[in-house]
């Protein structure tokens, strides 16, 4: 027996000080293995065959020639694939998207629908055979066009009610001194994480094991167990390293297809999606059409607010992009109406994408606030501060903390806002028109029940086990620091193991709730372990383990409105000769709870802000109405911000711990994106005097609206 004590540290707490990633060396040296890297004996490879029509039925599949090709083991399609069950509710409280229930019928609801899986000894053989497979279709007329307002648009409750309303909107608008009535649109956007979706399935002694790239092992276990009518205890999912997710890495067609093939062949089968396949099978952010109507009195105080959003969904599953939800938190009015509606088309199902709802919704709402500030002759920051609510505008709940004012005050000071001439089109740098803009940001700060186990090892170290997922956010490192503080030891004595469903149920990496939920569970287990060690008990060779479950503790959070907040600032330069928009600098100041690791937290904030540049100026997936498919479904045709597009970006935060959280965490994963595109669009107006209400702000759109005035100097360029 060994005695291990946690002791009392005299050094500063680990949380709140910068720490490099604990797995950083493994990642940069290649020692860290991702889902498609892990070897298995007798591993076979599956390649998905996707439909080439947008709507219709499969008439025939010519499998005989393909089965005779070298290395081909089987072809699965709707005629011979195992049956699955979709009559259940997912971890997120929704019905499953039937897209993941592959090969169950002959119907084709969109281009890129999985119609077969070819399995072979090598990935090259599988791909060659899949590309040789001939599928005959009965083609039917399709419609992929999204126009926003449409007679077929209907409300859908997602993770929030579809419609909220109070007060007489028309009466309040009529009585307002200033009114804004505008429509904003955002395009279809795609996740494109660096690591493609990949999964390997195998049966081991009657137990299904899946090695996967996902955002939550608990999530995937539950879905696979339901689909295949298995006891969840007989399913194990491992996902140790994940190269990005952004909402896309739940249960998809490739995992289900891999399980089917492994069941049929009784050997491990790996299925990896290509980049082009991800455009059809990994979900995306729906395009939106949003109408904002604001009415204010002479002092700029809101008397009427309407935010209506229409988004796109598939014919097989109703997923809503809840863009109007952001208005339910940010601003109040005597008459306050919001609605989220969808239109069904012959397209793949959209899904969660970083800051779902808030990202496109904040663009519309915060751009409209800027237009209202112009009409009222009030500074955009002052207008927002005059409309700070004292409680949730829709929920009526008190805020657990709303430090947005502090974010704007500090951000304005650092950005030099006081020196800004509010008149548009007044600043030049050679051929460039210069402008600055701002916007507010918010994102919910939730938590979900999780379990964690902490073990005091005989050698004086501690092992934490939790089914968390680190999708590049630095969660593994943050949990190491949280555990070290909870145990009163230094981080080098703590080892955190994650990404294994055998560690017990835990929240997914999503909704900015991952680290908060997991830290709560780790803190609870570590606290109980310290109490046991304080009794002086010796440590046996197998160690002493304490397990926590936070289900009961988290229930009280619903009694308050909980959000992170932020203020975004941007300076742009617009070339009126070419239409080019360059972002010169950005600043984001956030009130996002206690910051556990400033190093990785700043990376999260800045990464979100860079995505805001991408959203404002670049990203747009375009569908060909004739074929129903994408134009340029790859990273050559789908543009995202690159190093050349990223200027000086600064992110900082104000003190804002959540008093009801044991660690003080709120959540930071998504708020960096919220409001960033609006700040850039508002800066483009300030530079040119022209409002752009449709994203992205492409050069062609700038040239269509901005008069090209001759100028003596053609020199000058945006600062790098």
């Amino acid at each position: 027996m060994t005695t291990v004590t946690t002791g009392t540290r005299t050094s500063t707490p680990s949380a709140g000080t910068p720490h490099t990633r604990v797995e950083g060396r493994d990642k940069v040296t290649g020692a860290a293995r991702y889902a498609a890297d892990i070897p298995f004996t007798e591993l076979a490879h599956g390649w998905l065959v996707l439909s080439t029509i947008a709507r219709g039925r499969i008439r025939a599949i010519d499998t005989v020639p393909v089965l005779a090709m070298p290395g081909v083991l089987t072809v699965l399609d709707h005629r011979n694939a195992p049956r699955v069950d979709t009559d259940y509710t997912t971890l997120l409280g929704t019905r499953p998207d039937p897209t993941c229930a592959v090969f169950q019928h002959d119907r084709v609801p969109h281009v890129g629908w999985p119609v077969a899986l070819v399995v072979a000894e090598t990935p090259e053989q599988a791909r060659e055979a899949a590309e040789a497979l001939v599928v005959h279709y009965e083609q039917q007329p399709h419609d992929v066009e999204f126009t926003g307002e449409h007679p077929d648009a209907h409300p859908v409750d997602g993770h929030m009610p579809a419609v909220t309303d109070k007060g007489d909107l028309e009466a309040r608008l009529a009585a307002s001194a200033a009114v804004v009535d505008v429509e904003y649109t955002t395009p279809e956007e795609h996740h494109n994480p660096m690591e493609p979706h990949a999964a390997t399935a195998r049966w081991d002694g009657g137990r299904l094991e899946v090695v996967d790239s996902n955002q939550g092992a608990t999530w995937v276990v539950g879905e696979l167990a339901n689909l295949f009518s298995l006891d969840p205890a007989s399913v194990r999912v491992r996902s140790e390293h994940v190269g990005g997710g952004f909402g896309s890495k739940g249960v998809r067609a490739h995992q289900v297809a891999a399980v089917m093939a492994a069941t049929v062949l009784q050997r491990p089968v790996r299925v990896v999606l290509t980049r082009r396949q991800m455009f059809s099978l990994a979900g995306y952010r729906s395009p939106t059409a949003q109408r904002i109507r604001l009415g204010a009195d002479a002092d700029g105080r809101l008397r009427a607010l309407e935010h209506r959003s229409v988004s796109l969904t598939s014919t097989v599953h109703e997923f809503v992009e809840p863009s109007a939800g952001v208005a339910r938190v940010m601003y109040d009015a005597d008459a306050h109406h919001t609605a989220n509606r969808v239109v069904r088309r012959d397209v793949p199902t959209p899904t969660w994408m970083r800051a779902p709802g808030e990202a496109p919704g904040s663009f519309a709402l915060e751009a409209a606030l800027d237009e209202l500030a112009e009409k009222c002759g009030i500074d955009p920051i002052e207008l927002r501060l005059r409309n700070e609510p004292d409680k949730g505008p829709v929920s009526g709940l008190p805020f657990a903390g709303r430090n947005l004012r502090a974010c704007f005050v500090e951000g304005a000071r650092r950005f030099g806002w006081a020196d800004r001439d509010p008149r548009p089109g007044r600043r030049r740098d050679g051929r460039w028109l210069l402008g600055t803009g701002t916007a507010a940001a918010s994102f919910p700060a939730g938590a979900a029940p999780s379990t964690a186990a902490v073990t005091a090892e005989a050698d004086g170290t501690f092992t934490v086990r939790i089914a968390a997922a680190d999708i590049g956010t630095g969660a593994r490192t943050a949990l190491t620091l949280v555990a070290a503080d909870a145990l009163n030891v230094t981080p080098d004595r703590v080892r955190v193991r994650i990404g294994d469903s055998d560690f017990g149920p835990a929240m997914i990496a999503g909704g900015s709730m991952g680290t908060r939920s997991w830290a709560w569970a780790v803190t609870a287990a570590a606290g109980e372990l310290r109490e046991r060690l304080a009794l002086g008990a010796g440590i046996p060779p197998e160690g002493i383990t304490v397990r926590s479950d936070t289900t009961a503790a988290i229930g009280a959070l619903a009694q308050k409105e909980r959000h992170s907040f932020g203020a975004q600032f941007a300076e742009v330069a617009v070339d009126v000769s070419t239409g080019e928009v360059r972002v010169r600098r950005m600043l984001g100041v956030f009130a996002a709870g206690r910051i556990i690791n400033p190093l990785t937290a700043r990376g999260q904030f800045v990464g979100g802000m860079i995505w805001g540049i991408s959203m404002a100026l670049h990203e747009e997936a375009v569908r060909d109405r004739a074929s129903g498919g994408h134009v340029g479904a790859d990273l050559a045709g789908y543009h995202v911000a690159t190093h050349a597009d990223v200027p000086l970006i600064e992110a900082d935060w104000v003190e804002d711990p959540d008093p009801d959280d044991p660690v003080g965490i709120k959540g930071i994963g998504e708020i960096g994106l919220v409001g960033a595109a609006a700040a850039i669009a508002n800066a483009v107006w300030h530079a040119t005097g022209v409002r752009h209400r449709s994203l992205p702000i492409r050069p062609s759109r700038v040239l269509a609206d901005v008069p090209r005035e001759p100028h003596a100097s053609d020199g000058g360029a945006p600062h790098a």
Side-chain angles (χ1 to χ4, degrees), residues 15-31:
T17 57
H19 282 72
T20 57
R21 295 171 188 260
V22 295
E23 81 285 10
R25 180 176 291 275
D26 287 346
K27 285 184 174 177
V28 299
T29 60

Side-chain angles (χ1 to χ4, degrees), residues 12 15 57 70 126 169 222 229 300 395 477 493 516 621 628 638 678 691:
T12 58
R57 289 186 178 274
L169 185 72
S229 301
S395 71
T477 306
R493 290 177 61 186
R516 175 174 166 127
Y638 183 83
R691 294 283 180 188

Side-chain angles (χ1 to χ4, degrees), residues 374 421-427 685-690:
E374 179 193 1
D421 184 339
R423 298 172 298 174
R426 297 287 174 163
R427 292 178 59 207
W685 167 80
H686 188 233
T688 64
V690 176

